[in-house]
Amino acid sequence: MLSKVYGSAVFGVEAQTITVEVNVDTGVGYHLVGLPDNAIKESNYRIAAALLNNGYKIPGKKITLNLAPADLRKEGSAYDLTLTLGILTASGQIKSDNLEKFVIMGELSLDGSLHPIKGALPIAIKAQEEGFEGFILPKENAKEAAIVSDLKVYGVENISEVIEFFDKGTKLEQTTIDTRAEFYKNLDFPEFDFSDVKGQESIKRCMEIAAAGGHNVILIGPPGAGKTMLAKRLPSILPPMTLQEALETTKIHSVVGKTKNMGLMSQRPFRSPHHTISDVALVGGGSYPQPGEISLSHNGVLFLDELPEFKRGVLEVLRQPLEDREVTISRARFTVTYPSSFMLVASMNPSPGGYFNDPDAPVTSSPAEMQRYLGKISGPLLDRIDIHIEVTPVPFEKLSEERKGEGSVEIRKRVTAAREIQTKRFDGLENVHYNAQMNTKQIREFCKLDEHSKELLKNAMERLNLSARAYDRILKVARTIADLENTQAVNGNHIGEAIQYRSLDREGWLG
């Protein structure tokens, strides 16, 4: 007897429906075909134990299982439940009247209980697109899958619940959530707040400008100056995620199994990988491609602490994603693309000893050592960082103040207003949503200078020996400063402030 059950495979952040065909015939044997990986090949042991412990059994006949389309590589243990129902229906142990209406996925434990799966959200989206009535999956993934409207989602804890649902018509509890209510409920509760930062008003101003224009930032300062503290609070002043951004971000995190018992993500991600990370872990890839840290940072912040300590090759793979805002990973049989539109925030000591720009500490490194240390970061990577901020330690008087500084909520209002101005400005332009994404042509169009501003910028570049690459960056940042002031024209004050944020471009910065 032949039966068909439907599952799904995830490639990149998209899913593809998989038809599991099971044929039970006279003879002996268990044949699983359709390019399964080892985890799927081992499923027969889990299935046999789970069925036995729930009053059923694998028939002692010839069983052939095909995962179609057969030319696509299938991976993971999430097909256990799909295969089990195919075997039970093909052997006549349960009815199969409604089986074709559902996508069914889940990893089996030996006692028949279900473990969570990866990629529940993209699978649910695909099931809804293809007209399936419902999606049956482990209970821990139900809330995530229920984000999708017009799809009945049933979260189950044990295989016996699924068997009784199809065989005896026992009701399953449908998981439903109000996606918009769930999203807006958690929208304005950042974990960290800028009101915790004592002093550092000029640095907070830089972070506000960076957030308003989507500019990449590098923080340069001695240990203990507050670089990490400031970076962790950057997501709290970024504009709230839109529903579409939240859906994109949740899909990526779903693929790597980071959304158990979660609905829609409403906080912008903040990722901070260790400096020993490999290039594959950062950019994504592997035999079965998975998103890396830069894709997990999509719509949020990627923080690289102690930037020169990262391997040169690891840093170089950042260049293309920073430019294209997506990562493409090619394999012989398929190509996957992961979105990676993130803000890069990096931090570093100004010298090997760490105290070069600390006015109260002696300089212990020679100029040659400091030049070699900074030389670990390539020019092309620095080209993609618009703002360089020097961070100095906060004096005791500021640290001991009882009064709190301005909070993230107030700063975020100004940032959001500036982003709205940019959204209107770039309306109709493809892949340009905020100032940091402008190309040279758009900079010339939207950052026009009067004669006074041109003269100021010319003098600054000559006197401070700023590099040519600093020119466009200064104009982008100046445009953002003007947007924060709700000013149409970029004037000399905006240019003057933007020039201050190019420390590493100054000749003689190292002394």
Side-chain angles (χ1 to χ4, degrees):
M1 183 178 173
L2 176 68
S3 72
K4 291 185 179 181
V5 190
Y6 296 96
S8 195
V10 177
F11 298 96
V13 291
E14 305 298 331
Q16 178 168 337
T17 299
I18 302 296
T19 304
V20 177
E21 302 172 321
V22 183
N23 188 68
V24 175
D25 203 351
T26 54
V28 178
Y30 185 94
H31 308 285
L32 180 59
V33 296
L35 289 182
D37 71 350
N38 286 333
I40 303 175
K41 289 176 183 176
E42 294 169 352
S43 63
N44 63 312
Y45 300 110
R46 295 189 295 272
I47 291 169
L51 288 178
L52 188 63
N53 288 319
N54 284 272
Y56 297 87
K57 63 178 182 179
I58 289 185
K61 296 183 178 182
K62 181 181 177 181
I63 303 173
T64 305
L65 306 99
N66 178 44
L67 307 178
D71 61 341
L72 286 179
R73 186 77 177 173
K74 324 298 185 309
E75 63 167 323
S77 53
Y79 296 95
D80 288 359
L81 185 57
T82 325
L83 296 169
T84 303
L85 289 174
I87 292 170
L88 290 175
T89 53
S91 61
Q93 295 183 68
I94 66 171
K95 298 174 186 174
S96 58
D97 298 343
N98 299 318
L99 215 53
E100 73 283 354
K101 297 179 181 178
F102 296 88
V103 169
I104 304 166
M105 297 290 285
E107 178 188 338
L108 282 175
S109 183
L110 298 186
D111 63 358
S113 58
L114 293 172
H115 295 302
I117 63 172
K118 297 178 180 179
L121 180 55
I123 292 172
I125 292 170
K126 189 66 174 179
Q128 190 269 340
E129 288 175 355
E130 297 201 346
F132 284 95
E133 180 182 308
F135 183 15
I136 297 173
L137 75 170
K139 196 164 189 174
E140 289 175 89
N141 299 116
K143 195 173 180 182
E144 170 192 344
I147 292 169
V148 180
S149 58
D150 300 323
L151 182 73
K152 295 178 181 177
V153 174
Y154 300 103
V156 293
E157 295 181 339
N158 192 284
I159 190 175
S160 59
E161 297 176 42
V162 187
I163 293 172
E164 289 174 8
F165 173 70
F166 286 110
D167 195 40
K168 300 175 183 177
T170 305
K171 296 287 185 183
L172 288 177
E173 184 181 351
Q174 183 179 343
T175 303
T176 57
I177 62 170
D178 185 333
T179 304
R180 289 185 178 275
E182 188 78 13
F183 173 65
Y184 290 114
K185 182 176 71 175
N186 300 316
L187 198 58
D188 292 317
F189 295 97
E191 185 178 357
F192 300 104
D193 196 282
F194 264 101
S195 62
D196 301 327
V197 179
K198 300 291 181 71
Q200 304 286 32
E201 297 305 321
S202 61
I203 314 301
K204 289 170 71 173
R205 166 69 174 170
C206 295
M207 299 299 271
E208 180 180 338
I209 294 167
H215 302 287
N216 299 322
V217 182
I218 186 166
L219 304 166
I220 312 146
K227 302 186 295 293
T228 303
M229 184 180 189
L230 288 158
K232 284 184 175 179
R233 282 153 180 77
L234 181 59
S236 71
I237 63 171
L238 289 171
M241 279 208 289
T242 63
L243 202 55
Q244 181 61 36
E245 286 178 328
L247 189 62
E248 291 174 358
T249 307
T250 307
K251 279 175 69 175
I252 298 169
H253 286 251
S254 173
V255 169
V256 293
K258 294 184 178 292
T259 51
K260 286 193 302 180
N261 294 316
M262 281 179 58
L264 203 60
M265 292 179 64
S266 55
Q267 298 295 323
R268 293 188 181 274
F270 178 88
R271 305 291 298 181
S272 180
H274 193 261
H275 65 259
T276 56
I277 191 171
S278 68
D279 54 352
V280 172
L282 185 67
V283 79
S287 302
Y288 303 110
Q290 291 281 294
E293 289 291 333
I294 61 175
S295 294
L296 292 172
S297 307
H298 181 59
N299 292 321
V301 175
L302 176 66
F303 177 49
L304 301 184
D305 197 10
E306 302 301 338
L307 190 66
E309 300 302 326
F310 285 79
K311 296 173 187 172
R312 180 72 176 253
V314 171
L315 293 179
E316 291 308 298
V317 300
L318 276 172
R319 287 161 52 183
Q320 185 181 0
L322 282 170
E323 199 72 33
D324 299 339
R325 302 192 178 272
E326 65 178 21
V327 177
T328 300
I329 299 166
S330 297
R331 293 292 178 265
R333 290 180 176 270
F334 59 90
T335 298
V336 297
T337 299
Y338 297 112
S340 59
S341 180
F342 60 91
M343 274 185 67
L344 174 65
V345 180
S347 75
M348 59 179 287
N349 294 330
S351 63
Y355 293 96
F356 171 68
N357 64 341
D358 185 349
D360 299 320
V363 176
T364 57
S365 304
S366 69
E369 288 174 327
M370 290 190 284
Q371 187 67 61
R372 191 162 51 248
Y373 175 74
L374 284 175
K376 294 180 180 179
I377 308 168
S378 71
L381 179 59
L382 279 177
D383 272 350
R384 290 160 173 82
I385 300 177
D386 295 342
I387 297 178
H388 309 159
I389 308 173
E390 292 184 56
V391 184
T392 54
V394 181
F396 176 78
E397 292 75 18
K398 288 283 186 182
L399 284 175
S400 58
E401 278 184 358
E402 293 293 328
R403 182 177 60 87
K404 283 197 168 187
E406 187 178 27
S408 294
V409 173
E410 291 78 15
I411 301 173
R412 178 191 267 188
K413 287 178 183 176
R414 297 194 294 269
V415 168
T416 303
R419 283 285 184 102
E420 287 171 356
I421 292 171
Q422 294 163 49
T423 300
K424 291 177 183 176
R425 175 186 300 131
F426 302 127
D427 185 35
L429 294 178
E430 189 176 355
N431 298 324
V432 183
H433 307 288
Y434 43 84
N435 292 334
Q437 296 175 327
M438 287 191 291
N439 59 30
T440 303
K441 180 182 177 182
Q442 289 151 359
I443 291 171
R444 301 294 177 268
E445 181 180 353
F446 299 117
C447 305
K448 293 177 180 177
L449 303 179
D450 57 27
E451 291 304 317
H452 170 69
S453 300
K454 285 181 182 177
E455 190 65 26
L456 177 64
L457 183 53
K458 177 186 175 183
N459 291 338
M461 293 193 71
E462 290 175 352
R463 291 180 183 180
L464 300 175
N465 291 309
L466 294 176
S467 64
R469 68 173 179 249
Y471 180 78
D472 283 354
R473 269 71 196 169
I474 290 171
L475 289 178
K476 286 183 183 182
V477 174
R479 175 70 268 172
T480 300
I481 296 169
D483 290 339
L484 282 167
E485 294 181 2
N486 196 15
T487 304
Q488 182 66 32
V490 177
N491 61 40
N493 292 334
H494 307 141
I495 293 292
E497 184 175 359
I499 290 168
Q500 299 176 47
Y501 306 142
R502 295 299 301 179
S503 297
L504 293 181
D505 283 322
R506 298 176 191 171
E507 189 177 302
W509 184 84
L510 297 176

